[in-house]
Amino acid sequence: MEYQAAKAKFLQEWGVLGSQWGINRTMAQIHALLLISPEPICVKEVMDELKISLGNANMNLRALMDWGLIYKVAIPGERKDFYEAEKDIWEVVKRIIKKRKERELEPVLKMLDEVSAAEGEGPEVQAFRKAIQDIRLFSGKADALMETLLKADSGWVNTF
């Protein structure tokens, strides 16, 4: 496969995967573009490559910076903002895990703790408590696993 075709396929498919993981397609495509770019690129290059608007590019670049996946880079003599991605894939995965944990798992754990003290008697209340307890147990294990992954270094992955 010729480079331009391979690049286009990668950007397209990474966008599809991103939407399946819960982020928007454009955000995933911008991240993919920056991951494979050997040099930092400016907003105009992102817009031209992905055929998106300035507003869409800026919004998604800010979101990627919030996740810690890309950085603004100053280039001497240039007035434009340039961006580059974190290239260490293990670091990328850890940052995604951290952000997903903060946004998704921690609120669920908090809610489960709040509802686990439901008062009342009877089979419905017992079934509710049991379901919440089981979900809380699983969620706690998921949280512990994520914490272990966040503390691990990239060499740990190479043992598999």
Side-chain angles (χ1 to χ4, degrees), residues 18-24 27-28 31 58-72 84-86 88-105 146 150:
S19 62
Q20 292 172 350
W21 295 333
I23 64 169
N24 78 60
M27 184 175 162
H31 185 240
N58 281 327
M59 177 183 65
N60 284 294
L61 286 165
R62 275 193 308 274
L64 287 164
M65 284 191 295
D66 287 345
W67 282 66
L69 299 175
I70 68 168
Y71 313 99
K72 219 180 250 193
E84 69 181 353
E86 170 62 54
D88 180 340
I89 296 303
W90 180 244
E91 190 59 37
V92 168
V93 169
K94 285 172 51 174
R95 290 177 187 181
I96 291 170
I97 289 171
K98 182 176 188 268
K99 193 58 90 168
R100 303 277 319 236
K101 182 179 178 306
E102 289 170 2
R103 290 184 176 191
E104 298 166 23
L105 187 57
M146 288 180 175
L150 290 172

Side-chain angles (χ1 to χ4, degrees), residues 38-62:
E39 302 290 329
I41 61 177
C42 69
V43 176
K44 175 132 178 43
E45 291 170 294
V46 170
M47 292 168 49
D48 291 346
E49 181 72 39
L50 300 176
K51 297 174 182 34
I52 59 174
S53 70
L54 177 61
N56 196 2
N58 281 327
M59 177 183 65
N60 284 294
L61 286 165
R62 275 193 308 274

